[in-house]
Amino acid sequence: LVTRQPLVIPDTRRDLLARDNEFTLALGLAAYLSVPLIVAGQVLGSLCVADRHPRDWTAEQVATLTGLAGQVMAEVQLQVDVASRGELERRLADLETSYQALLERLPGVVYTLSPEGPNPVIHISPQIETLLGEPAADCISDPALWDRLVHLDDAEWVAAECERTNQTGEPFVAEYRMRTRAGQVRWVRDEAVLVRGGDGRPLLWQG
């Protein structure tokens, strides 16, 4: 944050500042990327992504996160500068469109789930169709989605892990098999975190 530049750490175990950091140790983070959020010349915080395995962050990934940070900063700036509610709503809609476009450029599947079981899909990026042959629109609020997609041999323990993390609020991390619409089997690594409101109430799972 002091440098006001992106912080790129491919391997926290080899980084002098990160390797003994309580936050990275507690969450088991092996790679870390963050971009500062600067509004009106003030650093408010940072937008971060992390991995539990070391990785070489690419220039494209840094640029994508920087773009997302720009959208966040613009949204915060709106709350500071825009007095007209109608103008605010219009500009927020434009930012939401830009944000969705950036998410759809990411190579992985990005999704949002309800915080309560059976965790129906609220939003999912179009990449799900490339991965499993399922159109994103068909996944929204489908109560039978996970029963249909998760491989039968993994369904029981994946459902149990979902229920456990719903109860504890711990991050969901699992590798399991899913079935495509054409009947093929695909291995996936699924990671999600529970997002809470200011009052601590669970709002959604972001994965």
Side-chain angles (χ1 to χ4, degrees):
L1 295 181
V2 175
T3 65
R4 301 192 174 204
Q5 299 296 320
L7 177 61
V8 182
I9 303 177
D11 189 343
T12 58
R13 297 169 301 179
R14 299 177 182 273
D15 187 272
L16 293 178
L17 296 177
R19 65 187 181 189
D20 297 323
N21 183 276
E22 293 182 2
F23 176 79
T24 58
L25 291 173
L27 295 181
L29 306 182
Y32 184 81
L33 172 63
S34 73
V35 176
L37 300 174
I38 304 172
V39 176
Q42 299 295 317
V43 179
L44 302 183
S46 62
L47 184 64
C48 312
V49 293
D51 199 330
R52 288 186 171 83
H53 302 280
R55 63 182 299 162
D56 292 321
W57 301 102
T58 66
E60 182 179 358
Q61 289 169 331
V62 175
T64 298
L65 188 63
T66 300
L68 288 171
Q71 300 299 320
V72 173
M73 288 184 282
E75 193 164 348
V76 172
Q77 189 68 55
L78 279 174
Q79 298 181 37
V80 175
D81 296 336
V82 180
S84 168
R85 182 175 179 83
E87 177 67 7
L88 176 62
E89 291 177 350
R90 184 190 67 78
R91 294 182 67 183
L92 285 175
D94 291 342
L95 286 171
E96 177 66 17
T97 300
S98 298
Y99 178 73
Q100 290 297 113
L102 283 168
L103 286 181
E104 290 173 6
R105 289 173 50 197
L106 298 175
V109 176
V110 179
Y111 62 82
T112 302
L113 306 181
S114 168
E116 300 176 353
N119 304 107
V121 175
I122 300 172
H123 170 268
I124 195 164
S125 61
Q127 287 87 337
I128 188 67
E129 187 165 6
T130 302
L131 178 67
L132 299 177
E134 294 282 342
D138 291 355
C139 299
I140 305 300
S141 301
D142 180 356
L145 181 68
W146 304 119
D147 291 338
R148 187 172 75 252
L149 296 182
V150 179
H151 193 281
L152 289 176
D153 291 342
D154 295 333
E156 183 175 352
W157 73 262
V158 171
E161 182 63 7
C162 287
E163 179 60 26
R164 186 187 72 81
T165 53
N166 278 340
Q167 296 297 322
T168 66
E170 297 175 26
F172 177 89
V173 181
E175 293 185 2
Y176 56 90
R177 289 163 290 183
M178 300 189 80
R179 296 173 295 182
T180 71
R181 179 166 285 195
Q184 298 174 317
V185 175
R186 299 277 172 83
W187 279 95
V188 299
R189 179 175 178 83
D190 190 355
E191 299 187 13
V193 294
L194 184 63
V195 179
R196 297 181 181 274
D199 58 358
R201 180 173 53 89
L203 297 179
L204 52 88
W205 282 97
Q206 181 67 66

